[in-house]
Amino acid sequence: MKKILLILSLLFLVACSNDEAKYDGAPLKIAVVGDIPKLNNEKIHFEPISLNEFSEDTLHISTNFDAVMITPVMFGEASEDRFVKVYNNSKIPIIFFDSTKRHFPFTRDGLTYETAHWESLNNGSHTTIYLSDVDANKEDAWYFYLKDEKELDTLYKEIFQKIETL
């Protein structure tokens, strides 16, 4: 009887655990400014950093991480003009997770996430990956869409696959 209860409780714990991202590519180390995603995948390692850490030590961040993810709880501060050069000079991709206004409030002077009200900013995407190449004077952005919250694991998988290729 004890074995059955133990097995049932283990199954219950597994069923109630965090979402699992079905990503099976190369291991990725992602610095996160804001809330750490609650998902399970042994190939993805999230490490919290502050905006100041990112802006003050971009060389360390770019050599030790595959990407930087910024989450909605930090959008207000992250969209301040003092960080525009950080994003535009970053050598690694920046994930603006759950940003309906894409990357524009973060990469343009004079805009903040709250003041950027252009209807054209909302292209229906959930998340944007932004990568700037100052030397080539170009920037790239990739958009990821989420139709249903139940497909969040698919969204993460697509984001991680793109990071792996950059």
Side-chain angles (χ1 to χ4, degrees), residues 31-34 36 47-54 61 65 68-69:
V32 180
V33 177
I36 301 288
E47 188 170 312
I49 64 167
S50 70
L51 278 170
N52 288 335
E53 284 177 88
F54 183 33
I61 301 296
F65 293 94
V68 173
M69 177 184 284

Side-chain angles (χ1 to χ4, degrees), residues 33-78:
V33 177
D35 294 332
I36 301 288
K38 293 179 173 117
L39 55 96
N40 294 316
N41 187 306
E42 62 187 39
K43 294 195 174 206
I44 305 298
H45 174 72
F46 294 111
E47 188 170 312
I49 64 167
S50 70
L51 278 170
N52 288 335
E53 284 177 88
F54 183 33
S55 66
E56 293 169 4
D57 201 357
T58 55
L59 180 60
H60 170 76
I61 301 296
S62 65
T63 56
N64 289 296
F65 293 94
D66 298 296
V68 173
M69 177 184 284
I70 301 176
T71 67
V73 297
M74 295 302 297
F75 285 172
E77 184 180 352

Side-chain angles (χ1 to χ4, degrees), residues 14-15 32 38 54 58 81 88 94 105 107 117 129 131 156 159:
V14 170
V32 180
K38 293 179 173 117
F54 183 33
T58 55
D81 283 351
N88 289 330
I94 303 168
T107 60
H117 291 293
I129 295 177
L131 183 60
Y156 276 117
I159 291 168

Side-chain angles (χ1 to χ4, degrees), residues 94-114:
I94 303 168
I95 305 163
F96 296 104
F97 189 80
D98 198 7
S99 171
T100 57
K101 298 177 183 181
R102 300 186 277 170
H103 61 286
F104 293 110
F106 308 98
T107 60
R108 306 289 189 270
D109 282 322
L111 286 179
T112 66
Y113 198 77
E114 295 199 11

